[in-house]
Amino acid sequence: MPQSKLSKSKPNIILVTTDQQRWDALNYNRPGTALRTPFLDAMAAGGLNCTRAYTTCPVCIPARRSLLSGLHPQTHKLYGYQDGLDWEAPISCPETLGRNGYQTQLIGKLHLHPQRKSYGYDHQIRVESPNDRGDTILQNVNDWAKDLKRRGIEHPNHSGIDSNGRAARPWDLEEQYHLTSWLTDRAVEYVTEYRDPTRPFFLHLSHWAPHPPLIPPQAYWDQYANHGMTPAYGDWAPDLPWRPGTADTNAIGPFREDEIEDMIRGYYGLVTHIDHRMNHFMSRAFGYGSPRAHEPTVIIYTSDHGEMLGDHHLYRKSLPYEASAHVPFFICWRNMDLKPGAFDGLVSLEDVTATIFDLCGVAQPEQYNSELEGRSLVPALRGEKCHTRDRLFGECTGVGTHNYMIEGPLKYIWFERTQEEQLFNVLDDPDETHDLSGSHKDLLPNFRKHMADYLKDRSDRHYDPSQCVPCNNQPPKVFWEKHL
């Protein structure tokens, strides 16, 4: 077999990100459901699977800033969804790798402004959405829609299914034209035809799915016809009826049961489609006879945030709950002497860049000395003791503007508008069905102290521990005050 000219000293890096994939939307993380992710499960099982990985701002653009730079929202200063913002990244993973000999390529979603700004990528294939928004200011670049138009498909998504809605149905074109398939095919082309074989490469394959529109190809829609999966409802969730007229994009329910059934069906159909396309990509890129088969290569898989998917009568992202903030995160490899296993330390998206730098022999930026910023997971990959952080801080402005903090098994949540607090043991109660804020008030002072210190210099938050009100296992008024 012909050997690659690539030096063995630096591994190829493949970063695969999905959009809106919750932690348990990987069967390996929560076996026993109807979800099918056999290929991703095998990758996670054969690598380092991070069981406690979180996004520190569970919405697209801030999370992607952290992915690109390894910087926490407290540092890059974006705490919620705000499109159209110019940003001079003080640290850029692809730019840094490029200066250290890597060829860098983005395929898919970046969601940073302006769309053609390189942020250090040598080349980009950009698709922000399955909706063709060529006549808009913020998302007029869509290389997928442009390619399909060349093939005579004038509008690739004319189903009327909203990019933030709960409605679901099968994709109405051939599977090869689906965005997940198309992006994977571009990644195969890059690795097999367009990369420089004399240099290590950094490929960021950035999927839109399973973010709505919930329109998987027909075969994947059919797989989940009788899925039997239902949302998790905490005993603190309200006992309210579905309200006719609830908008399709509304983040706060309750929602219709048949609507939830279809929503879950479409969402998990998209996840399984990603699983199969990852199998296709790895087979084509590194399969039998490939000149790349002997190259050292690291694959990192994660998501920018999760999806509530009806849990606790809530939908979409941005919230502090496990379904929204807890994400899949695993690292696997080829032709490298690393140690598989599970890692249960607190991990965040900031750790992606720090780990990549360490793997590639790049010095860690001085900003990473703060506990908020990225931490390398390479010690864990070597089977050594690895300490990431004692506590993890997250937040998001928007629906239920909040801050959250995780320390040990406990997650503390504070909602700014109502000053309400919740407390969950997320190890014993991963569905967050029981709020401990009323029954374990003795635990709150520690969290209040650290949260007050975290927010002490913030002009956009007004945190006063004396004004905090435990929800005491009752529905947070921040969501349902008008209906309770």
Side-chain angles (χ1 to χ4, degrees), residues 34 50 141 144 169 287 332 342 353-354 376 389 397 404 445 477:
C50 300
V141 173
W144 169 69
R169 52 156 287 181
C332 57
T353 291
S376 172
R389 48 187 60 81
T397 57
Y404 77 85
K477 294 178 182 178

Side-chain angles (χ1 to χ4, degrees), residues 75-102:
T75 304
H76 66 59
K77 305 300 183 185
L78 188 61
Y79 309 114
Y81 186 96
Q82 193 171 357
D83 214 337
L85 296 178
D86 289 336
W87 182 48
E88 294 299 325
I91 301 165
S92 166
C93 181
E95 189 274 333
T96 303
L97 292 181
R99 286 191 283 104
N100 284 269
Y102 276 76

Side-chain angles (χ1 to χ4, degrees), residues 81-154:
Y81 186 96
Q82 193 171 357
D83 214 337
L85 296 178
D86 289 336
W87 182 48
E88 294 299 325
I91 301 165
S92 166
C93 181
E95 189 274 333
T96 303
L97 292 181
R99 286 191 283 104
N100 284 269
Y102 276 76
Q103 185 183 37
T104 59
Q105 171 77 37
L106 169 71
I107 298 175
K109 181 175 181 177
L110 187 62
H111 215 160
L112 297 176
H113 182 79
Q115 281 187 285
R116 288 301 190 197
K117 184 172 180 177
S118 73
Y119 286 99
Y121 289 103
D122 293 332
H123 186 257
Q124 301 181 23
I125 297 174
R126 289 292 294 271
V127 185
E128 308 295 8
S129 167
N131 291 320
D132 183 10
R133 295 167 173 163
D135 60 343
T136 68
I137 296 174
L138 297 178
Q139 292 188 13
N140 54 19
V141 173
N142 190 323
D143 293 327
W144 169 69
K146 186 184 298 183
D147 182 47
L148 265 58
K149 287 178 181 179
R150 293 193 195 104
R151 304 170 190 235
I153 301 172
E154 186 57 32

Side-chain angles (χ1 to χ4, degrees), residues 240-255:
L240 294 169
W242 165 71
R243 298 182 299 279
T246 300
D248 176 54
T249 58
N250 200 18
I252 302 171
F255 309 113

Side-chain angles (χ1 to χ4, degrees), residues 37 43 72 76 166 219 249 251 316 342 412 461:
T37 52
M43 294 180 77
H72 189 274
H76 66 59
R166 298 183 303 281
T249 58
R316 296 170 62 178
Y412 169 79
R461 293 285 195 273

Side-chain angles (χ1 to χ4, degrees), residues 43-49 331 333 337-343 380-383:
M43 294 180 77
L48 183 76
N49 188 43
I331 305 170
W333 52 87
D337 185 19
L338 300 173
K339 306 296 184 184
F343 181 69
L381 289 168
R382 292 175 179 153

